[in-house]
Amino acid sequence: MAASEAAPFAKTGGLGDVLGVLPAQLQQRGIECAVVIPRHRSVSLTGARKVFEGLHVWLSGGFYLCDVWSREHSGVTYYFLDHPGLYDRDGLYGHPDDAVRYAVLSLGTLGIARHLFRPDVLHLHDWHTALTPIYLKTFFPNDPTFEGVKTLLTLHNLYDCRIAPERLPEIGLDRRYFRTDWMEFHGSASFLKAGLVFADQLSAVSPGYAREIQTAESGEGYQGILSSRSDQLTGILNGVDYAEWNPETDRHIAANYSAKDLSGKRKCKAALLERFGFPVDDVIDRPLVGVVSRLAEQKGWELVREIFHEFCALDMTFILLGSGEYRYETMFWHMENFHRQKVRAFLGFDNALAHQIEAGADIFLMPSRYEPCGLNQLYSLKYGTLPVVRATGGLDDTIDEETGFKFKGYTGQNLLGALRTALQRYESPTVWREMMVTAMGRDYSWNRSTDEYIALYGRL
């Protein structure tokens, strides 16, 4: 596997989580797996060893001289492609030369495969490694190392890196590749399109997302390519690490509990309310709605702006943990300041608090505009915290009428309607308890997802 990040070494989101768990799951099933990521500044070399010195990654008529370090984690070999001039920086993304940085990763992955780990399948993730298939077929067509090697590109989202066609030599390619059926995308050369065209198989991180990205509404301009390759596009849900997210064993929460004994959940709710300064005895029986989220338009917070006053008038307590765009941070700051009797917002991130919100809330809100997979709704199911979600991507795949509440149209009124339905259902304790127990019994562990990846490798 090759990616831009992998937990616990470097992580900004769900991609890092997947690369921290899936390889170990494969290894446990007898699939020998190794992972390549850059040696970012956050990657400690404590316990690592240098396994290759002076790997030449040839681009632009010259080369980038890299070292390769190796370390075992959960039974898996992780290789770190080390070039301080490219990767020893604050932040994994957002640099002016990201095109070159991740072109070197894409081509360096093939160097590692040649010298250190000869694979049957190269499993690539997002645009950061999407040039690997085109490099493989362009630079190594007759190399016996890669005879029979197949490529799989997994789409965690449709983010891309695009450069002007005259910059193609910087990434080792030339204007021949600037074709409408190869890399050309609205006048630019697209890394992601190269992967979509040249990879042998494609996958997306949920069946719903795999369907949606073939439409004009969600395809971001790639829907034509994706539709033409629908036979080679598979949707596989990300799994949950229940060793980390399980109310029966969670060390971050006030009391552990299970579907058989839910008494600890009320203690968790009381502790969460107390932490945020609510009068516990006065509000413990009022439904508590929780949020743990990036505050970005993708996550649906524009809908809350639409219905701000009606939202604040609902008979609920609301606790949010998140950070992101200034306009949404400001909105929730105002919400707390004008409605302190029912609203609190923690603007930032705190891992322990994220666990405490999952355990202490009654309802979890995820009104995303789009959501390739989503993990918080899966955590919420395990914690008996019933999700209110927009029916999109992985949210639509994982939440049903037995375990939560969904709305389809992307409007504030539709969100309000679904939330009101949830609050009304909460008034029926027996029904609510049945839904909690059903939700907690749903299995979204990595077991099923790993089996699906193994089947996909087999088809390759």
Side-chain angles (χ1 to χ4, degrees):
M1 292 196 193
S4 56
E5 58 183 79
F9 307 109
K11 173 190 164 183
T12 64
L15 171 63
D17 287 328
V18 171
L19 271 292
V21 177
L22 177 57
Q25 294 286 321
L26 292 168
Q27 198 82 21
Q28 291 168 15
R29 286 165 171 75
I31 307 295
E32 190 179 359
C33 183
V35 179
V36 180
I37 66 169
R39 195 227 154 174
H40 297 292
R41 181 170 291 174
S42 64
V43 177
S44 170
L45 294 180
T46 302
R49 61 190 181 94
K50 187 183 290 187
V51 291
F52 200 97
E53 187 169 1
L55 179 68
H56 290 62
V57 180
W58 289 88
L59 291 176
S60 312
F63 60 85
Y64 292 83
L65 196 61
C66 304
D67 293 332
V68 182
W69 297 79
S70 173
R71 180 176 166 185
E72 298 291 313
H73 174 66
S74 299
V76 177
T77 300
Y78 283 77
Y79 292 110
F80 308 121
L81 187 69
D82 189 13
H83 188 292
L86 294 175
Y87 305 123
D88 186 13
R89 306 180 186 181
D90 292 329
L92 278 56
Y93 315 114
H95 301 283
D97 59 345
D98 274 355
V100 172
R101 297 172 71 233
Y102 288 105
V104 170
L105 174 63
S106 295
L107 189 52
T109 294
L110 295 175
I112 291 172
R114 280 188 96 208
H115 296 292
L116 297 169
F117 185 95
R118 295 193 173 190
D120 298 304
V121 175
L122 285 163
H123 187 169
L124 314 163
H125 296 265
D126 281 348
W127 72 261
H128 317 96
T129 52
L131 292 181
T132 302
I134 200 170
Y135 288 149
L136 177 62
K137 293 177 179 179
T138 300
F139 298 162
F140 303 98
N142 301 311
D143 190 325
T145 301
F146 297 111
E147 184 176 354
V149 172
K150 301 295 184 181
T151 54
L152 166 65
L153 176 64
T154 292
L155 305 172
H156 300 256
N157 52 61
L158 292 180
Y159 298 155
D160 196 3
C161 177
R162 300 169 195 160
I163 59 175
E166 55 268 23
R167 291 186 59 198
L168 280 167
E170 295 178 25
I171 60 171
L173 302 172
D174 57 42
R175 290 290 294 239
R176 286 177 298 170
Y177 296 90
F178 193 65
R179 294 170 30 171
T180 56
D181 57 339
W182 284 5
M183 291 186 71
E184 192 277 333
F185 189 84
H186 300 289
S188 298
S190 162
F191 281 44
L192 184 60
K193 184 173 179 179
L196 298 180
V197 171
F198 283 90
D200 295 308
Q201 286 277 340
L202 307 172
S203 71
V205 290
S206 72
Y209 190 56
R211 291 189 300 270
E212 289 174 4
I213 58 179
Q214 297 179 58
T215 67
E217 180 182 1
S218 302
E220 304 288 345
Y222 305 101
Q223 61 270 15
I225 310 166
L226 290 161
S227 296
S228 71
R229 301 207 62 191
S230 59
D231 289 346
Q232 292 90 41
L233 174 59
T234 305
I236 301 176
L237 271 170
N238 289 338
V240 172
D241 182 2
Y242 287 133
E244 176 71 15
W245 294 93
N246 186 340
E248 296 182 43
T249 57
D250 195 330
R251 67 188 186 281
H252 298 296
I253 62 179
N256 296 121
Y257 62 94
S258 68
K260 293 181 180 179
D261 181 5
L262 289 168
S263 59
K265 186 164 179 65
R266 187 174 177 89
K267 296 175 184 176
C268 291
K269 182 177 182 178
L272 182 62
L273 292 168
E274 183 177 5
R275 173 170 179 170
F276 279 90
F278 286 105
V280 176
D281 292 340
D282 295 343
V283 301
I284 188 71
D285 293 318
R286 183 196 297 166
L288 172 54
V289 178
V291 168
V292 179
S293 177
R294 281 190 299 111
L295 301 183
E297 185 175 355
Q298 178 221 327
K299 297 298 183 179
W301 303 119
E302 198 61 35
L303 301 187
V304 175
R305 285 169 66 94
E306 285 182 23
I307 55 168
F308 183 91
H309 296 292
E310 293 167 287
F311 184 88
C312 295
L314 293 170
D315 185 19
M316 65 179 185
T317 307
F318 181 80
I319 292 176
L320 173 139
L321 167 63
S323 63
E325 295 180 30
Y326 176 76
R327 55 179 166 162
Y328 299 125
E329 290 192 354
T330 302
M331 176 180 74
F332 286 114
W333 182 85
H334 282 296
M335 189 180 288
E336 174 178 334
N337 277 273
F338 286 101
H339 300 275
R340 280 194 63 80
Q341 75 279 12
K342 60 171 63 174
V343 175
R344 296 288 192 277
F346 185 105
L347 299 178
F349 185 72
D350 181 315
N351 183 58
L353 180 55
H355 285 251
Q356 291 158 17
I357 290 174
E358 289 287 6
D362 300 300
I363 296 167
F364 196 91
L365 181 61
M366 289 184 74
S368 303
R369 184 167 68 88
Y370 66 92
E371 195 67 62
C373 177
L375 288 174
N376 276 104
Q377 86 278 13
L378 303 181
Y379 304 155
S380 298
L381 293 176
K382 189 66 174 177
Y383 284 72
T385 303
L386 303 187
V388 173
V389 304
R390 180 163 176 264
T392 182
L395 301 180
D396 198 20
D397 288 330
T398 54
I399 305 303
D400 56 44
E401 61 184 11
E402 294 183 328
T403 60
F405 308 87
K406 294 193 287 192
F407 64 98
K408 288 191 176 181
Y410 190 66
T411 70
Q413 289 303 315
N414 285 329
L415 162 60
L416 194 63
L419 193 50
R420 282 174 171 159
T421 299
L423 296 175
Q424 290 168 2
R425 191 75 56 85
Y426 183 81
E427 299 302 318
S428 302
T430 301
V431 174
W432 192 264
R433 183 185 177 90
E434 289 176 357
M435 291 183 69
M436 289 174 63
V437 171
T438 300
M440 296 175 77
R442 294 289 167 90
D443 181 10
Y444 288 103
S445 67
W446 271 104
N447 293 331
R448 180 174 59 181
S449 304
T450 303
D451 289 341
E452 291 184 43
Y453 275 115
I454 292 174
L456 179 52
Y457 300 150
R459 292 198 296 276
L460 271 167

